[in-house]
Amino acid sequence: MNSIARMPLVAMAAMMSLPSSWAMAQDGAVPIKISYQPALYGVSIEIATDKGWWKEIGLEPSFTIFPSGAPQIAAAAAGDWDVGTLGAPPAVLGASRIDLKTIGLATEEGEANVLLAPKDKVAELKASPESIKGQSILIPTNSTAEFAAWNCLRTYGLAIDDVQWVNLAPPQLVAAFANGTGGLAGIFTPYAYTLNAKSGAVKLCSAKDAGLTLVSAIVARPQYIEEHKDAVAKFMATYLRAVTWQRQNPDEAVGYLKAFYERNGVQLDETYLRQELTTDRKQYTLEEQLKTFARDGKPSEIDQAFDTFEDYLITKGTLQSKIDPGSFVTDDVLKQIAADPKLKAWAELK
């Protein structure tokens, strides 16, 4: 994973393959402030950084890692970052409060948001969902995990108030459930893996099982898009380049993910890391992004995902009224990349 020793040769080879206009751009690199969270979608940013790709394409990045979406959105409102990756709740709330634009899909994570139960109880609970009534479910409230858990209950013919909801932040939830507190736990990866390792808890139901499409987003402040349209396109193209690289180099990608999680206090076995990368959270290439954002006279896949999630936020009182996903979900940046042969080739690692 350590590429410091080989960086000069790598950088030189990359520079020789770059269009001359990009090589010259380094003398006047465009500043761009990038934000992300300690989740899978942050790895693409770190890979691009480690390989020197931002500088090669003419960007001068600075980085901020946020523990969650709320402080990340507050910082965006203050202009503290320009582009970033985050989950569905802050993407929607950021759109409603500061007109934050969703310009790409970070991950699809229907299998990453799960309702867990003790291994020896799963068969019984699936055979007789009525037995879930009255149980306590540990959950981080106002989250995709809670949204998934609600819909899992509905698939079993149960109402939300048929159970007791116990709000806990993910680290506290893992510790409490591992110590025998709660009948079920609603959580997302990588905490779900930690809970499985600590207590043997296994999936009872996932968001995907409940028919949901859950997403995390790549976003940008509208003011920065207006002032630096080309820089946003270069950011997105470089992010997609890292996604493509991970597809082509899965073993090395696992190494990056392991190091990234460990720096942020998450220790996982390689089996879980591979599951995160290949099964539970799907990342999208340029071609896949364009298909997901395509409207063709009807709401796109990502429009529908956000629209459904807005219903949940309104029920929680977190969002006061629905906003049309068409007002904040845009494929303009993706189309700009696709229409530029050089950027397209860069994004596709060609």
Side-chain angles (χ1 to χ4, degrees), residues 102-103 289-290 293-295 329-336:
T102 290
I103 61 172
Q289 296 267 358
L290 289 166
F293 275 73
R295 292 192 169 102
V329 175
T330 174
D331 60 359
D332 288 352
V333 177
L334 295 169
K335 287 180 176 178
Q336 180 180 346

Side-chain angles (χ1 to χ4, degrees), residues 2-302:
N2 187 344
S3 62
I4 295 176
R6 67 176 185 272
M7 184 59 71
L9 291 178
V10 173
M12 184 180 297
M15 283 300 301
M16 290 174 66
S17 65
L18 281 173
S20 59
S21 59
W22 287 1
M24 291 171 60
Q26 293 183 77
D27 294 332
V30 179
I32 186 167
K33 293 177 287 187
I34 301 172
S35 73
Y36 55 107
Q37 297 177 29
L40 174 63
Y41 42 72
V43 175
S44 295
I45 293 171
E46 298 217 342
I47 288 172
T49 303
D50 184 63
K51 294 186 175 298
W53 289 341
W54 307 115
K55 185 177 181 181
E56 290 175 23
I57 204 169
L59 297 177
E60 184 181 334
S62 57
F63 307 95
T64 306
I65 299 180
F66 290 89
S68 62
Q72 192 173 7
I73 292 303
D80 291 341
W81 57 266
D82 306 314
V83 295
T85 56
L86 40 68
V92 173
L93 296 176
S96 68
R97 295 171 184 173
I98 59 172
D99 197 28
L100 195 68
K101 302 299 183 184
T102 290
I103 61 172
L105 187 60
T107 58
E108 191 285 317
E109 47 196 47
E111 291 287 7
N113 289 265
V114 291
L115 188 60
L116 300 176
K119 186 176 182 179
D120 60 355
K121 297 290 185 181
V122 169
E124 174 189 340
L125 293 173
K126 286 187 175 181
S128 179
E130 285 289 313
S131 62
I132 297 175
K133 280 189 175 182
Q135 295 201 36
S136 60
I137 299 181
L138 310 188
I139 201 86
T141 193
N142 291 321
S143 69
T144 51
E146 185 179 48
F147 181 43
W150 281 15
N151 284 274
C152 280
L153 290 187
R154 288 172 179 144
T155 65
Y156 292 137
L158 301 174
I160 294 172
D161 57 5
D162 281 337
V163 299
Q164 300 174 38
W165 300 94
V166 180
N167 179 28
L168 290 173
Q172 288 70 45
L173 185 155
V174 170
F177 197 81
N179 288 325
T181 302
L184 302 170
I187 194 62
F188 37 75
T189 62
Y191 297 103
Y193 305 138
T194 303
L195 194 49
N196 174 258
K198 286 181 175 293
S199 71
V202 297
K203 183 185 80 169
L204 178 65
C205 172
S206 69
K208 187 174 182 179
D209 294 332
L212 298 178
T213 299
L214 291 182
V215 299
S216 55
I218 304 169
V219 298
R221 292 190 302 109
Q223 297 89 344
Y224 189 82
I225 296 176
E226 291 174 7
E227 297 170 3
H228 301 287
K229 178 182 176 183
D230 290 342
V232 174
K234 288 181 177 181
F235 161 77
M236 176 64 77
T238 303
Y239 183 95
L240 296 175
R241 182 180 177 86
V243 170
T244 301
W245 182 90
Q246 290 175 73
R247 293 269 186 96
Q248 296 178 3
N249 302 275
D251 292 337
E252 290 180 75
V254 167
Y256 273 102
L257 183 59
K258 178 180 177 63
F260 179 52
Y261 276 166
E262 287 180 351
R263 284 199 303 275
N264 288 282
V266 179
Q267 303 277 343
L268 289 177
D269 182 81
E270 184 174 316
T271 301
Y272 294 125
L273 295 168
R274 290 189 182 277
Q275 185 176 336
E276 178 89 313
L277 274 169
T278 63
T279 304
D280 291 345
R281 292 183 188 265
K282 179 183 177 182
Q283 299 184 90
Y284 286 67
T285 63
L286 175 60
E287 181 180 0
E288 292 165 345
Q289 296 267 358
L290 289 166
K291 289 180 180 178
T292 305
F293 275 73
R295 292 192 169 102
D296 298 326
K298 60 182 180 181
S300 67
E301 292 178 37
I302 193 169

